């Protein structure tokens, strides 16, 4: 349970994030934040994590996603910290939340986290859950359209050996992203709760891809 003072800070954080992301790309807008926040709260309860830290980190985790800021990973954490310092929050909590924002991103799956905490595990799982399943499929194709990428091109195979720079600069067809990220996430969940939820969403994506290929060849 949070105190009334903490709840007021959360309410102000919600208002700040809604304002900052009012014109964001549809897969990384306020509704993405909302879904991650609510999912993180469910996982936090099961994993007995600090709900205040989890809430702040979930709400601020994409306040300035690097892919929309010239791949600059410093802007998001700095913006999150600047906001948190305007609130009546203990320094250790500020540092914890900023560390989560710094370490949550997939980045092609090739980088190691420099910080570890139960709360990071929870928020990262919630963020990854929003990248898979029905919502994840919708977000993937929405972003592909936003970047003017082809839906699918059988002549361009997925690349599982990309470094961070290659991953972020890839112009490959959207379907490749399933293999380069989405289908990898089930086995990279941190919490028991996240693993259970990811399994069902992963299965849905596999069923979707099976149907996609049949329709692509006019077989269904």
């Amino acid at each position: 349970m949070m105190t009334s003072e903490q709840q007021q800070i959360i309410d102000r954080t919600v208002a700040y994030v809604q304002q900052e992301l009012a014109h964001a790309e549809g897969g990384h807008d306020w509704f993405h934040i909302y879904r991650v926040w609510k999912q993180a709260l469910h996982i936090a309860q099961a994993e007995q994590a600090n709900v205040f830290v989890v809430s702040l980190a979930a709400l601020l985790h994409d306040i300035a996603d690097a892919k929309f800021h010239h791949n600059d990973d410093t802007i998001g954490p700095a913006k999150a910290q600047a906001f948190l310092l305007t609130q009546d929050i203990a320094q250790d909590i500020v540092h914890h939340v900023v560390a989560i924002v710094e370490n949550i991103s997939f980045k092609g799956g090739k980088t190691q986290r420099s910080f570890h905490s139960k709360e990071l595990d929870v928020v990262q799982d919630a963020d990854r859950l929003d990248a898979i399943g029905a919502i994840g499929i919708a977000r993937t194709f929405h972003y592909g359209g936003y970047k003017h990428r082809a839906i699918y091109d059988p002549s361009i195979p997925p690349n599982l050996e990309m470094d961070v720079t290659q991953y972020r600069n890839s112009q490959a067809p959207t379907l490749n992203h399933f293999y380069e990220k989405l289908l990898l996430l089930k086995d990279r969940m941190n919490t028991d709760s996240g693993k259970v939820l990811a399994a069902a969403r992963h299965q849905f994506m596999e069923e979707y891809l099976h149907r996609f290929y049949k329709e692509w060849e006019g077989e269904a």
Side-chain angles (χ1 to χ4, degrees), residues 8-18 30 55-56 59-60 83-84 87 89:
Q8 290 173 11
I9 291 171
I10 295 300
D11 292 343
R12 291 194 293 271
T13 306
V14 168
Y16 168 71
V17 175
Q18 287 177 324
W30 160 248
S55 292
L56 289 172
L59 287 166
L60 294 167
F83 169 77
L84 292 170
Q87 306 298 309
I89 302 174

mmCIF file of all heavy atoms in Angstrom, residues 8-18 30 55-56 59-60 83-84 87 89:
data_model
loop_
_atom_site.group_PDB
_atom_site.id
_atom_site.type_symbol
_atom_site.label_atom_id
_atom_site.label_comp_id
_atom_site.label_asym_id
_atom_site.label_seq_id
_atom_site.Cartn_x
_atom_site.Cartn_y
_atom_site.Cartn_z
ATOM 1 N N GLN A 8 -0.387 10.919 -4.314
ATOM 2 C CA GLN A 8 -0.429 12.244 -4.939
ATOM 3 C C GLN A 8 0.719 12.418 -5.930
ATOM 4 O O GLN A 8 0.547 13.010 -7.009
ATOM 5 C CB GLN A 8 -0.386 13.327 -3.862
ATOM 6 C CG GLN A 8 -1.655 13.424 -3.035
ATOM 7 C CD GLN A 8 -1.525 14.386 -1.864
ATOM 8 O OE1 GLN A 8 -0.562 15.143 -1.774
ATOM 9 N NE2 GLN A 8 -2.488 14.345 -0.956
ATOM 10 N N ILE A 9 1.890 11.881 -5.578
ATOM 11 C CA ILE A 9 3.036 11.947 -6.496
ATOM 12 C C ILE A 9 2.746 11.126 -7.752
ATOM 13 O O ILE A 9 3.054 11.555 -8.873
ATOM 14 C CB ILE A 9 4.312 11.444 -5.795
ATOM 15 C CG1 ILE A 9 4.731 12.431 -4.704
ATOM 16 C CG2 ILE A 9 5.449 11.254 -6.804
ATOM 17 C CD1 ILE A 9 5.848 11.929 -3.806
ATOM 18 N N ILE A 10 2.151 9.961 -7.572
ATOM 19 C CA ILE A 10 1.789 9.131 -8.719
ATOM 20 C C ILE A 10 0.791 9.873 -9.606
ATOM 21 O O ILE A 10 0.916 9.872 -10.842
ATOM 22 C CB ILE A 10 1.199 7.778 -8.270
ATOM 23 C CG1 ILE A 10 2.248 6.950 -7.528
ATOM 24 C CG2 ILE A 10 0.641 7.004 -9.469
ATOM 25 C CD1 ILE A 10 3.487 6.625 -8.327
ATOM 26 N N ASP A 11 -0.186 10.515 -9.009
ATOM 27 C CA ASP A 11 -1.180 11.260 -9.779
ATOM 28 C C ASP A 11 -0.513 12.376 -10.590
ATOM 29 O O ASP A 11 -0.864 12.602 -11.756
ATOM 30 C CB ASP A 11 -2.239 11.858 -8.853
ATOM 31 C CG ASP A 11 -3.113 10.802 -8.194
ATOM 32 O OD1 ASP A 11 -3.135 9.655 -8.679
ATOM 33 O OD2 ASP A 11 -3.769 11.120 -7.180
ATOM 34 N N ARG A 12 0.444 13.069 -9.987
ATOM 35 C CA ARG A 12 1.151 14.128 -10.702
ATOM 36 C C ARG A 12 2.029 13.547 -11.812
ATOM 37 O O ARG A 12 2.181 14.155 -12.882
ATOM 38 C CB ARG A 12 1.989 14.968 -9.733
ATOM 39 C CG ARG A 12 1.172 15.827 -8.780
ATOM 40 C CD ARG A 12 2.006 16.875 -8.096
ATOM 41 N NE ARG A 12 2.992 16.323 -7.178
ATOM 42 C CZ ARG A 12 2.763 16.068 -5.874
ATOM 43 N NH1 ARG A 12 1.559 16.293 -5.361
ATOM 44 N NH2 ARG A 12 3.717 15.596 -5.091
ATOM 45 N N THR A 13 2.589 12.383 -11.557
ATOM 46 C CA THR A 13 3.410 11.721 -12.573
ATOM 47 C C THR A 13 2.558 11.318 -13.766
ATOM 48 O O THR A 13 2.964 11.491 -14.925
ATOM 49 C CB THR A 13 4.119 10.494 -11.982
ATOM 50 O OG1 THR A 13 4.853 10.877 -10.813
ATOM 51 C CG2 THR A 13 5.081 9.877 -12.994
ATOM 52 N N VAL A 14 1.378 10.785 -13.499
ATOM 53 C CA VAL A 14 0.450 10.429 -14.571
ATOM 54 C C VAL A 14 0.144 11.652 -15.434
ATOM 55 O O VAL A 14 0.206 11.596 -16.677
ATOM 56 C CB VAL A 14 -0.853 9.833 -13.997
ATOM 57 C CG1 VAL A 14 -1.930 9.748 -15.080
ATOM 58 C CG2 VAL A 14 -0.591 8.457 -13.397
ATOM 59 N N ALA A 15 -0.183 12.766 -14.791
ATOM 60 C CA ALA A 15 -0.520 13.986 -15.535
ATOM 61 C C ALA A 15 0.672 14.465 -16.374
ATOM 62 O O ALA A 15 0.501 14.889 -17.531
ATOM 63 C CB ALA A 15 -0.950 15.080 -14.555
ATOM 64 N N TYR A 16 1.875 14.374 -15.812
ATOM 65 C CA TYR A 16 3.092 14.786 -16.525
ATOM 66 C C TYR A 16 3.322 13.911 -17.752
ATOM 67 O O TYR A 16 3.578 14.419 -18.858
ATOM 68 C CB TYR A 16 4.280 14.702 -15.571
ATOM 69 C CG TYR A 16 5.624 14.827 -16.243
ATOM 70 C CD1 TYR A 16 6.061 16.040 -16.778
ATOM 71 C CD2 TYR A 16 6.479 13.722 -16.336
ATOM 72 C CE1 TYR A 16 7.293 16.145 -17.392
ATOM 73 C CE2 TYR A 16 7.718 13.824 -16.941
ATOM 74 C CZ TYR A 16 8.117 15.035 -17.465
ATOM 75 O OH TYR A 16 9.348 15.134 -18.078
ATOM 76 N N VAL A 17 3.214 12.605 -17.591
ATOM 77 C CA VAL A 17 3.461 11.683 -18.698
ATOM 78 C C VAL A 17 2.398 11.848 -19.787
ATOM 79 O O VAL A 17 2.706 11.843 -20.984
ATOM 80 C CB VAL A 17 3.509 10.225 -18.199
ATOM 81 C CG1 VAL A 17 3.636 9.256 -19.368
ATOM 82 C CG2 VAL A 17 4.669 10.042 -17.229
ATOM 83 N N GLN A 18 1.151 12.007 -19.392
ATOM 84 C CA GLN A 18 0.095 12.215 -20.379
ATOM 85 C C GLN A 18 0.367 13.461 -21.220
ATOM 86 O O GLN A 18 0.169 13.460 -22.441
ATOM 87 C CB GLN A 18 -1.257 12.342 -19.681
ATOM 88 C CG GLN A 18 -1.792 11.034 -19.126
ATOM 89 C CD GLN A 18 -3.097 11.205 -18.380
ATOM 90 O OE1 GLN A 18 -3.315 12.212 -17.709
ATOM 91 N NE2 GLN A 18 -3.974 10.225 -18.485
ATOM 92 N N TRP A 30 0.726 7.297 -24.370
ATOM 93 C CA TRP A 30 0.244 7.161 -23.001
ATOM 94 C C TRP A 30 -0.416 5.806 -22.759
ATOM 95 O O TRP A 30 -0.267 5.220 -21.687
ATOM 96 C CB TRP A 30 -0.736 8.283 -22.650
ATOM 97 C CG TRP A 30 -1.603 7.927 -21.465
ATOM 98 C CD1 TRP A 30 -2.939 7.687 -21.463
ATOM 99 C CD2 TRP A 30 -1.155 7.705 -20.118
ATOM 100 N NE1 TRP A 30 -3.371 7.342 -20.205
ATOM 101 C CE2 TRP A 30 -2.299 7.342 -19.360
ATOM 102 C CE3 TRP A 30 0.080 7.778 -19.481
ATOM 103 C CZ2 TRP A 30 -2.235 7.055 -18.000
ATOM 104 C CZ3 TRP A 30 0.154 7.484 -18.126
ATOM 105 C CH2 TRP A 30 -0.996 7.140 -17.392
ATOM 106 N N SER A 55 5.626 1.773 -9.739
ATOM 107 C CA SER A 55 4.704 2.699 -10.396
ATOM 108 C C SER A 55 5.454 3.843 -11.068
ATOM 109 O O SER A 55 5.206 4.164 -12.238
ATOM 110 C CB SER A 55 3.702 3.259 -9.388
ATOM 111 O OG SER A 55 2.818 2.268 -8.940
ATOM 112 N N LEU A 56 6.373 4.464 -10.340
ATOM 113 C CA LEU A 56 7.135 5.581 -10.909
ATOM 114 C C LEU A 56 7.951 5.134 -12.116
ATOM 115 O O LEU A 56 7.982 5.812 -13.149
ATOM 116 C CB LEU A 56 8.065 6.183 -9.848
ATOM 117 C CG LEU A 56 7.400 6.979 -8.733
ATOM 118 C CD1 LEU A 56 8.427 7.342 -7.666
ATOM 119 C CD2 LEU A 56 6.743 8.244 -9.293
ATOM 120 N N LEU A 59 5.693 4.332 -15.143
ATOM 121 C CA LEU A 59 5.141 5.545 -15.730
ATOM 122 C C LEU A 59 6.189 6.343 -16.509
ATOM 123 O O LEU A 59 5.872 6.999 -17.508
ATOM 124 C CB LEU A 59 4.530 6.421 -14.639
ATOM 125 C CG LEU A 59 3.212 5.908 -14.045
ATOM 126 C CD1 LEU A 59 2.864 6.650 -12.764
ATOM 127 C CD2 LEU A 59 2.080 6.026 -15.068
ATOM 128 N N LEU A 60 7.445 6.292 -16.069
ATOM 129 C CA LEU A 60 8.493 7.110 -16.681
ATOM 130 C C LEU A 60 9.421 6.335 -17.606
ATOM 131 O O LEU A 60 10.341 6.920 -18.185
ATOM 132 C CB LEU A 60 9.323 7.779 -15.569
ATOM 133 C CG LEU A 60 8.584 8.810 -14.717
ATOM 134 C CD1 LEU A 60 9.410 9.160 -13.478
ATOM 135 C CD2 LEU A 60 8.280 10.066 -15.531
ATOM 136 N N PHE A 83 12.228 15.323 -13.627
ATOM 137 C CA PHE A 83 10.871 15.386 -13.086
ATOM 138 C C PHE A 83 10.842 14.925 -11.637
ATOM 139 O O PHE A 83 10.228 15.583 -10.776
ATOM 140 C CB PHE A 83 9.918 14.521 -13.914
ATOM 141 C CG PHE A 83 8.577 14.350 -13.250
ATOM 142 C CD1 PHE A 83 7.646 15.370 -13.284
ATOM 143 C CD2 PHE A 83 8.262 13.187 -12.543
ATOM 144 C CE1 PHE A 83 6.420 15.240 -12.646
ATOM 145 C CE2 PHE A 83 7.043 13.049 -11.905
ATOM 146 C CZ PHE A 83 6.120 14.076 -11.957
ATOM 147 N N LEU A 84 11.474 13.819 -11.332
ATOM 148 C CA LEU A 84 11.440 13.270 -9.973
ATOM 149 C C LEU A 84 12.010 14.239 -8.952
ATOM 150 O O LEU A 84 11.542 14.290 -7.805
ATOM 151 C CB LEU A 84 12.212 11.946 -9.936
ATOM 152 C CG LEU A 84 11.576 10.782 -10.712
ATOM 153 C CD1 LEU A 84 12.550 9.620 -10.814
ATOM 154 C CD2 LEU A 84 10.276 10.335 -10.061
ATOM 155 N N GLN A 87 9.656 16.559 -7.250
ATOM 156 C CA GLN A 87 8.710 15.958 -6.317
ATOM 157 C C GLN A 87 9.397 15.684 -4.976
ATOM 158 O O GLN A 87 10.609 15.643 -4.876
ATOM 159 C CB GLN A 87 8.169 14.645 -6.902
ATOM 160 C CG GLN A 87 7.577 14.785 -8.290
ATOM 161 C CD GLN A 87 6.383 15.724 -8.337
ATOM 162 O OE1 GLN A 87 5.435 15.587 -7.554
ATOM 163 N NE2 GLN A 87 6.429 16.691 -9.240
ATOM 164 N N ILE A 89 10.518 13.301 -3.092
ATOM 165 C CA ILE A 89 10.874 11.889 -3.145
ATOM 166 C C ILE A 89 12.289 11.710 -2.613
ATOM 167 O O ILE A 89 13.195 12.477 -2.951
ATOM 168 C CB ILE A 89 10.805 11.351 -4.594
ATOM 169 C CG1 ILE A 89 9.397 11.555 -5.173
ATOM 170 C CG2 ILE A 89 11.200 9.881 -4.642
ATOM 171 C CD1 ILE A 89 9.286 11.187 -6.628
#
